[in-house]
Amino acid sequence: MVKLKVKSHVQQERNMAGVGNKFAPLPPILLNKKKGEPYKPKTPEDAGGGKNPFARQLAHGEKDVRDATFRALGKWLGARSDVDMLDMKKIWKGLFYAMWHADGWDVQEELAEEIGGLIHKLKHRVALMYAGVFFITARREWVGIDRYRMDKYLRLVRRFTSHVFRYCADRDWAEGVVGDVGEMFMRSALIPTGRGDQGVVDVGLRLHLAEVFVTELRNVAAGKDEVDIGCDPDKENEANGGAPRTVFFRRKKGEKRKAPREPVPRPVPPHATDALLKPWAQLLQLEPHKTLHKRVLHQVFERVLEGADGGAAFSGPESVEDAADAVHVRLDATTMKRMARTFIDVGADEGTGDLQRESLYELHIWFRKAYKRAAAAEGGDGEEEEAFLTKREKKKRKKEPSPEPEEEEEEEEEEEE
């Protein structure tokens, strides 16, 4: 049997002497919180010296600290007409890791809604910077998100995009506001460098954004963009995104369930749809990633054309998913005619790659046919092809004799094939 040697209390006290000098003092963030009292966040005014303490507090491990800091952040940003870019990047670094620490389905949903909803409390310039730096931060951090946390960030991107569209809808889809938002998408999320970069690490983010873009735009336009936090036991589970059945609404005792809000459509006018599609068209002009091209063509442009005037949502609503919502994202004949012409002009530019030219020409064909359908639905003949012809083709057509009616039909059939 081994006899353990026990130190005397004198020796223990001697060894423990000077412990206070061996360990660093607690960080100031914890010294501010007393037991039983709510946490009081520090603001840049409290920190002084041009420091921004929000990031550290937003990334704190305790939820109470993060929640209190987020409320203080909302007041601080809402009172400003401009924010330094570096400060906004620090803030979003903290918000990104606030979502990282969020555990539980309902906690993640609630935080995603709060982060996205903050944009409605900000002035226009600050709101644009807030949204733009979100996508900049997401692009930078995307490669570091592990598979266990990817779902929460996919949800954050979806809900934030929805709130950006709601921000435009609350301002009646004003041309200046939607134009600024489209520019923000292009510079921050889709083409940050102004050129197509091979092998960039944020392709996954843009693939997801292309997937949710039209869906969330339709939801906002149809007035169905509000979500329930948690899972209602009286509803189907799938309606809440597959949330566990154990996650329910947190209601106070005796509180009655609110009646569902009737959706109020806020249709997207053609000029706003055009402005929101421009960043995607420019991405097709510059981006060399083939998979991304395919996703953008079918998930963005093709789905938008479903709800255009004379589109599939009108002629065959049973073939379109959410046809009733699709019709609220509008494109008229005049807008599609102009867009079709732009696509073929850009695709014909020197220096345009083969993949990019192929995608732009395909868009030209889609929008040209959609324009004809819309013109026919509006009562026009839909045969105004002069606007789509180049100068050389126009001269050639003038020299050639007018074809017989049968030849015209054959040419149209060949063109459709």
Side-chain angles (χ1 to χ4, degrees):
M1 183 176 178
V2 180
K3 188 175 181 180
L4 297 176
K5 185 177 180 181
V6 181
K7 295 181 180 180
S8 66
H9 68 281
V10 177
Q11 184 66 36
Q12 291 178 8
E13 289 179 0
R14 188 179 299 168
N15 292 341
M16 293 296 292
V19 167
N21 298 326
K22 291 181 180 179
F23 298 99
L26 290 175
I29 189 171
L30 294 179
L31 297 177
N32 191 10
K33 183 179 180 182
K34 296 181 180 179
K35 190 174 181 180
E37 294 183 4
Y39 178 73
K40 297 179 181 179
K42 284 189 175 182
T43 63
E45 288 75 12
D46 299 331
K51 296 181 180 180
N52 193 322
F54 282 126
R56 185 178 182 183
Q57 299 174 90
L58 289 169
H60 195 267
E62 294 186 25
K63 187 176 184 300
D64 294 342
V65 175
R66 298 197 302 268
D67 292 346
T69 305
F70 186 81
R71 290 191 293 269
L73 173 66
K75 295 178 181 178
W76 188 81
L77 286 177
R80 272 149 185 78
S81 57
D82 195 9
V83 178
D84 184 69
M85 176 62 78
L86 182 59
D87 282 341
M88 188 64 79
K89 287 183 177 181
K90 291 178 180 178
I91 288 169
W92 263 112
K93 185 81 169 182
L95 288 172
F96 188 87
Y97 283 100
M99 178 60 76
W100 186 282
H101 287 301
D103 293 328
W105 189 280
D106 52 344
V107 175
Q108 295 165 11
E109 279 190 325
E110 186 177 14
L111 182 58
E113 281 298 300
E114 289 178 347
I115 290 176
L118 182 57
I119 193 174
H120 306 293
K121 303 176 183 178
L122 309 180
K123 296 179 175 63
H124 184 60
R125 183 179 177 85
V126 180
L128 287 175
M129 182 180 291
Y130 180 75
V133 177
F134 161 69
F135 288 109
I136 291 173
T137 305
R139 284 179 38 249
R140 185 183 66 242
E141 304 290 343
W142 199 259
V143 69
I145 302 174
D146 55 57
R147 60 177 180 170
Y148 303 106
R149 293 181 173 88
M150 182 56 73
D151 284 347
K152 67 170 76 175
Y153 286 102
L154 293 177
R155 185 183 303 112
L156 176 61
V157 172
R158 176 185 289 271
R159 295 310 307 150
F160 196 90
T161 304
S162 176
H163 279 285
V164 170
F165 292 147
R166 193 190 300 182
Y167 177 84
C168 298
D170 290 343
R171 287 148 185 81
D172 298 325
W173 305 102
E175 190 170 351
V177 173
V178 180
D180 290 341
V181 169
E183 188 77 10
M184 179 275 298
F185 272 116
M186 183 181 68
R187 293 180 177 274
S188 301
L190 302 180
I191 321 171
T193 60
R195 63 183 188 276
D197 291 336
Q198 183 72 35
V200 291
V201 297
D202 62 320
V203 170
L205 171 62
R206 291 185 288 175
L207 286 170
H208 179 62
L209 189 57
E211 185 178 5
V212 305
F213 195 84
V214 176
T215 301
E216 296 306 320
L217 184 59
R218 286 179 178 178
N219 289 339
V220 172
K224 300 178 180 178
D225 51 311
E226 291 190 2
V227 298
D228 295 330
I229 305 300
C231 181
D232 192 335
D234 296 335
K235 291 184 179 180
E236 293 293 333
N237 192 32
E238 288 75 11
N240 289 276
R245 297 293 293 177
T246 55
V247 180
F248 301 127
F249 285 123
R250 296 189 295 272
R251 294 192 182 90
K252 297 179 181 179
K253 190 174 181 180
E255 183 182 0
K256 294 182 179 180
R257 184 180 291 110
K258 295 181 181 179
R261 183 181 65 88
E262 288 294 329
V264 179
R266 295 186 286 182
V268 185
H271 74 83
T273 307
D274 181 19
L276 293 173
L277 289 179
K278 279 182 180 178
W280 295 103
Q282 192 153 1
L283 180 142
L284 293 179
Q285 180 187 358
L286 301 172
E287 176 61 42
H289 200 281
K290 188 174 182 179
T291 304
L292 185 56
H293 271 250
K294 186 176 180 180
R295 178 72 61 87
V296 171
L297 285 172
H298 294 286
Q299 292 292 333
V300 178
F301 287 99
E302 189 174 15
R303 294 192 67 198
V304 166
L305 288 177
E306 290 175 350
D309 292 356
F314 294 94
S315 58
E318 65 281 350
S319 63
V320 178
E321 184 181 358
D322 299 331
D325 300 339
V327 298
H328 295 298
V329 182
R330 295 199 56 240
L331 274 176
D332 56 12
T334 305
T335 304
M336 288 188 287
K337 176 181 176 181
R338 184 179 66 253
M339 294 174 72
R341 183 66 206 179
T342 302
F343 294 145
I344 196 171
D345 287 343
V346 173
D349 287 344
E350 294 184 5
T352 303
D354 294 339
L355 174 63
Q356 291 84 350
R357 182 178 290 109
E358 182 180 347
S359 297
L360 290 169
Y361 281 1
E362 188 169 3
L363 279 184
H364 165 72
I365 295 172
W366 288 359
F367 275 76
R368 180 179 178 179
K369 292 181 178 179
Y371 152 69
K372 291 182 179 181
R373 289 193 299 266
E378 292 174 2
D381 55 8
E383 299 295 336
E384 300 178 14
E385 297 188 10
E386 290 292 327
F388 300 106
L389 300 177
T390 61
K391 293 181 179 180
R392 183 178 298 177
E393 290 173 337
K394 288 179 181 179
K395 291 180 180 179
K396 186 178 179 181
R397 175 163 290 192
K398 287 180 180 179
K399 293 179 181 179
E400 292 178 353
S402 57
E404 297 295 328
E406 294 180 359
E407 294 179 0
E408 289 182 355
E409 293 178 2
E410 292 177 359
E411 288 179 0
E412 289 181 358
E413 291 177 359
E414 290 177 359
E415 183 182 359
E416 290 179 359
E417 291 177 0

